[in-house]
Amino acid sequence: MTATLYVCTTCKAGETHEDDSQRPGARLHRALSALETPQDVQIVAVECLSACKAGAAVALSQPGKWTYVYGHMTDADAPDILTGAAAYAATDDGLVPWRERPVIFRKQSLARIPALKLPAEAAE
């Protein structure tokens, strides 16, 4: 199964731009898309992750795994973000050992959300 790296393209990170394509989130998305995407990872642009004060923000998610939201990312962080996404995709539960995470993922985590369990699964 493929992990999804969501990238908030509307993140302003405190900057003002008349041209939306110059917003930090849009620049981050372009930087990520310009690099080779790791196996089992897909990059998806989204219009808002509701992390406006911590933008530019990204989220990593995959069915059955913990979801993570990271903030204060820049286009210069793109290689480390993809390294972290690959490590996440390689796990069974989304929990990458602390020391194996890129430093930006250790220090710029905004949220960790448990895997969604459907009512039938919760009863098991």
Side-chain angles (χ1 to χ4, degrees):
M1 200 169 283
T2 300
T4 302
L5 175 64
Y6 295 101
V7 184
C8 178
T9 59
T10 57
C11 279
K12 295 180 184 180
E15 297 180 15
T16 303
H17 297 281
E18 290 182 27
D19 177 3
D20 289 348
S21 71
Q22 294 308 310
R23 289 181 176 191
R27 292 193 316 257
L28 176 58
H29 182 259
R30 281 194 303 276
L32 289 163
S33 298
L35 298 173
E36 184 175 342
T37 304
Q39 182 177 355
D40 297 326
V41 174
Q42 67 177 340
I43 300 170
V44 176
V46 294
E47 289 196 5
C48 186
L49 288 173
S50 239
C52 301
K53 292 186 181 195
V58 299
L60 272 170
S61 184
Q62 186 172 340
K65 293 185 179 186
W66 286 82
T67 294
Y68 287 85
V69 181
Y70 300 100
H72 306 288
M73 300 288 159
T74 69
D75 46 336
D77 295 322
D80 287 337
I81 293 169
L82 293 178
T83 297
Y88 174 87
T91 68
D92 291 331
D93 56 8
L95 300 174
V96 178
W98 181 257
R99 294 195 185 278
E100 294 176 25
R101 298 176 193 173
V103 172
I104 59 168
F105 279 12
R106 290 186 226 160
K107 299 194 177 255
Q108 293 165 218
S109 178
L110 302 179
R112 184 175 95 154
I113 303 158
L116 174 67
K117 291 194 178 191
L118 300 176
E121 294 172 338
E124 293 176 2

